[in-house]
Amino acid sequence: MKKLSKLFLMGLVTLGLGFTACNNDDIDVPDQEKGNTHVSVALKLGSGATNRGLPNDYNKVGEWAGKDKIEDITIYVSDMSSGSVVTHNFVVGEDYEVDGNQLKPLESAAIKTTAGPKKVFVLVNATEDALDQIAAAGTGANAFEAAYAAVLKLKNSGTKHDPVETSASKIAKVDAGDDVIMMTNVEPQEINVEPNVDKDATLAGANRVNMEVERAVARVMVTTAATSYNVFSADGETKIGEISNITWVLAQGENSLFIQRKDDWATPNYGWVPETNAEYWDATDGAYTKYDYSGLFENYDTDTQFGGTEVPTLGDYAAANAGSIGESSVLDGKFVLPTTHEIETGDASGFKKGNTVYAMIRAKFTPGAFADGGTYNEGDDFYLGANGKFYKTASAAYDPAGNGVTQKVTKYVGGKVIYYAWVNPDKIPEWYNSPVLRNNIYHIHITGFKTIGTNWNPLFPEDPDNPTLIPNPKFDPEKPEGPDNPSKIPSNPDPKPEVKVTVPNPEDPEGPDIDVPVEEPENPIDPTDPLTTPETWMSVDVTVLPWLVHSYQVDLGI
């Protein structure tokens, strides 16, 4: 198990920060290019320190400046008199200089324009999808503002690809140890541009617009206090098994975002709260159409139904701080799109298990002893009876005494157990709200496992008793199948196991034995339930970073 690297607070790193004025020949607003004055835009990487719309800032431990690589900047100048918008594209390194967490314009970044009221917008490290969506709106101010505030749909691989592409990875990546993340303005800025200001004067501060930008994604990181854990009976007296091979994946963040963040932090699916399992599973308007499950397939082995990212250890959680957590997150974290719902007390919360970002822990469980004798070999299946005892075979678990008195049975495929941690819980372990906001880092630190986990993942939009590959209504048969054009909704990578046993035929005792299905206890994880559960499975520390950094500890259970 790898160790958490030594961490330290880093300032903003910007490489090649230069603006190159775009070619505006195709923009039908020549008056601004013929203007007699100049305006300049200075940028500051915002801290995200004010989470307006939240009752409080859960699990916050501090702020971290980040390790950002700024590759390009797009500035939109909207003329509030003429109602037209001009786009200016710049390449970092030639037109802007880096000063701490600020990007200051050089001479080539002075924008020629006309005097009068202007409204300025900016995108940093913008993707082609974002730029194209905005460009398609044209140069009218109203249409532009609507496009800048609109939903940007970000497709994902949906299933196992190499590498897996999540919706968040479309706008955020790590490049040689630096973050390359799309950023948006915290809010647009208005300025009344004065006439007859030359380049030197605007660079000195005249007609200067100061703007804050923030990263459009959140990031999650998971660590653990140890590489293995003993699990004890409910009374804490008897060891029932051992947890090892601890891995994690991330799922159920939204697959779209508003380019311009809403003031109340609402995300595109803020109001979607599944009331029934059928609604959650629905192929045309259910969870799969709104949330991203591709992360479940990261490093996934189809044969063993196991995989994920090995969880690094963090020996001294008390010594961790925002800087160390942030620095480590560059290599050990995963990006996710913002996901929020209505925050309320108790069950009234808009956050349910089927619409909230979760870190899923896949681990291996080694039973302490089998009621039917024998020893456990790594990778074997095993069975847990409703009586709390482990069995090597399904038949022994189903009818332990051999007298026809049967019980419900849980099958653990290959010894795999599953646990969940909500990414930013309001209160541990009685969590009800778990908002994930852009420009925040969430650190989950596992300190123990209180119970044996579940054996399959109900938080995947598929009917577990009727799993199918559902045709994707948006599949384009004229294009090759791939991450941007998946033909089918994939099957659950952690499906509900099917258990059958062979018993004498009660209708024909003299005839051949028959196979009968074995009923399994109800899984305690239901998509429509509140986040809180009767038991706690895992202990978690979460931290949010400017990047706001959040951190919490948790003992994992159900």
Side-chain angles (χ1 to χ4, degrees):
M1 182 79 68
K2 63 180 178 177
K3 296 292 183 182
L4 192 66
S5 58
K6 184 177 181 181
L7 310 174
F8 55 94
L9 188 61
M10 292 288 296
L12 177 69
V13 176
T14 51
L15 304 180
L17 256 183
F19 284 104
T20 302
C22 69
N23 185 337
N24 288 319
D25 292 344
D26 58 342
I27 299 177
D28 189 23
V29 282
D31 289 345
Q32 292 201 42
E33 297 305 308
K34 296 177 182 179
N36 65 351
T37 191
H38 292 81
V39 66
S40 62
V41 179
L43 302 177
K44 178 182 179 182
L45 192 56
S47 70
T50 303
N51 290 345
R52 298 191 304 274
L54 296 182
N56 49 59
D57 194 5
Y58 312 135
N59 311 301
K60 182 178 176 182
V61 296
E63 298 180 353
W64 177 61
K67 291 182 66 177
D68 294 280
K69 181 179 179 181
I70 311 299
E71 296 184 329
D72 51 70
I73 301 173
T74 304
I75 294 176
Y76 302 94
V77 180
S78 175
D79 190 308
M80 299 170 70
S81 298
S82 68
S84 60
V85 177
V86 176
T87 304
H88 302 269
N89 297 316
F90 301 99
V91 176
V92 171
E94 300 173 3
D95 310 302
Y96 273 71
E97 64 180 359
V98 180
D99 183 7
N101 67 338
Q102 298 188 50
L103 308 177
K104 294 185 176 180
L106 301 175
E107 182 177 350
S108 55
I111 298 171
K112 190 174 183 180
T113 186
T114 56
K118 302 288 191 291
K119 195 173 185 179
V120 182
F121 301 76
V122 66
L123 286 178
V124 173
N125 291 337
T127 64
E128 286 189 19
D129 286 345
L131 294 173
D132 290 347
Q133 179 169 302
I134 292 174
T139 58
N142 291 337
F144 161 80
E145 289 201 31
Y148 191 94
V151 172
L152 178 64
K153 189 79 171 180
L154 294 164
K155 295 179 181 179
N156 53 71
S157 59
T159 184
K160 184 172 177 57
H161 282 72
D162 189 17
V164 165
E165 289 188 359
T166 67
S167 296
S169 72
K170 295 297 187 70
I171 61 172
K173 63 181 180 180
V174 177
D175 182 12
D178 294 320
D179 288 336
V180 182
I181 302 172
M182 188 173 85
M183 305 178 189
T184 62
N185 47 241
V186 174
E187 57 186 5
Q189 296 294 315
E190 295 183 8
I191 181 175
N192 188 36
V193 177
E194 299 295 331
N196 303 314
V197 173
D198 61 20
K199 290 183 178 181
D200 291 339
T202 189
L203 295 178
N207 282 349
R208 170 67 64 86
V209 181
N210 296 299
M211 303 190 70
E212 282 194 330
V213 295
E214 61 187 2
R215 304 166 188 87
V217 296
R219 177 183 257 147
V220 179
M221 186 178 76
V222 177
T223 59
T224 185
T227 58
S228 62
Y229 293 88
N230 291 329
V231 179
F232 293 88
S233 57
D235 60 12
E237 297 295 325
T238 305
K239 176 183 172 180
I240 64 171
E242 181 179 340
I243 292 287
S244 61
N245 294 70
I246 305 169
T247 68
W248 75 289
V249 289
L250 187 65
Q252 210 163 251
E254 293 204 23
N255 60 16
S256 61
L257 81 161
F258 293 117
I259 298 176
Q260 170 68 65
R261 170 177 58 79
K262 302 296 184 183
D263 287 342
D264 61 0
W265 299 85
T267 51
N269 294 296
Y270 176 87
W272 191 78
V273 180
E275 295 183 357
T276 65
N277 285 342
E279 184 179 355
Y280 177 73
W281 299 330
D282 187 79
T284 57
D285 194 38
Y288 192 83
T289 67
K290 298 170 174 60
Y291 299 99
D292 181 4
Y293 297 89
S294 56
L296 295 172
F297 295 89
E298 184 179 10
N299 301 323
Y300 178 76
D301 187 316
T302 304
D303 292 335
T304 61
Q305 295 185 13
F306 196 80
T309 299
E310 183 182 9
V311 178
T313 55
L314 175 60
D316 186 2
Y317 177 74
N321 55 48
S324 65
I325 293 168
E327 176 70 16
S328 181
S329 73
V330 175
L331 296 179
D332 295 323
K334 304 180 193 296
F335 295 114
V336 66
L337 296 187
T339 305
T340 64
H341 301 285
E342 186 173 2
I343 292 176
E344 293 289 348
T345 57
D347 294 353
S349 168
F351 291 88
K352 306 298 178 185
K353 291 186 176 75
N355 66 6
T356 301
V357 182
Y358 63 87
M360 190 177 82
I361 307 302
R362 292 189 186 111
K364 291 299 181 73
F365 184 89
T366 301
F370 288 104
D372 53 344
T375 58
Y376 182 72
N377 298 311
E378 183 177 353
D380 286 351
D381 299 340
F382 67 82
Y383 303 84
L384 176 62
N387 59 3
K389 296 180 179 180
F390 295 103
Y391 298 86
K392 290 275 291 183
T393 68
S395 296
Y398 179 63
D399 185 4
N403 58 9
V405 179
T406 63
Q407 65 178 336
K408 295 180 180 180
V409 177
T410 302
K411 179 181 181 180
Y412 287 87
V413 177
K416 178 179 68 176
V417 288
I418 294 173
Y419 301 86
Y420 301 87
W422 312 113
V423 166
N424 185 31
D426 51 352
K427 188 170 61 172
I428 305 165
E430 294 83 17
W431 34 36
Y432 283 97
N433 303 290
S434 187
V436 173
L437 311 179
R438 64 177 72 191
N439 211 78
N440 284 259
I441 292 174
Y442 301 93
H443 170 224
I444 301 169
H445 183 61
I446 302 169
T447 56
F449 295 81
K450 290 186 174 181
T451 63
I452 185 171
T454 187
N455 62 330
W456 65 282
N457 179 24
L459 300 184
F460 185 90
E462 172 186 86
D463 182 347
D465 296 318
N466 297 285
T468 56
L469 290 176
I470 307 169
N472 179 356
K474 297 183 179 179
F475 174 64
D476 186 347
E478 301 299 321
K479 297 180 180 179
E481 181 180 348
D484 291 328
N485 191 36
S487 61
K488 295 181 182 296
I489 295 177
S491 291
N492 190 343
D494 301 279
K496 181 179 180 180
E498 184 180 26
V499 182
K500 292 183 179 180
V501 297
T502 302
V503 299
N505 187 341
E507 297 181 359
D508 184 9
E510 302 300 324
D513 293 346
I514 61 173
D515 292 334
V516 297
V518 176
E519 185 179 1
E520 176 179 305
E522 184 178 354
N523 195 305
I525 303 298
D526 190 294
T528 62
D529 280 349
L531 302 186
T532 192
T533 55
E535 302 178 52
T536 299
W537 280 357
M538 194 168 57
S539 59
V540 179
D541 293 316
V542 178
T543 309
V544 189
L545 300 173
W547 296 95
L548 284 180
V549 178
H550 307 254
S551 180
Y552 72 94
Q553 302 183 69
V554 67
D555 286 329
L556 289 184
I558 294 175

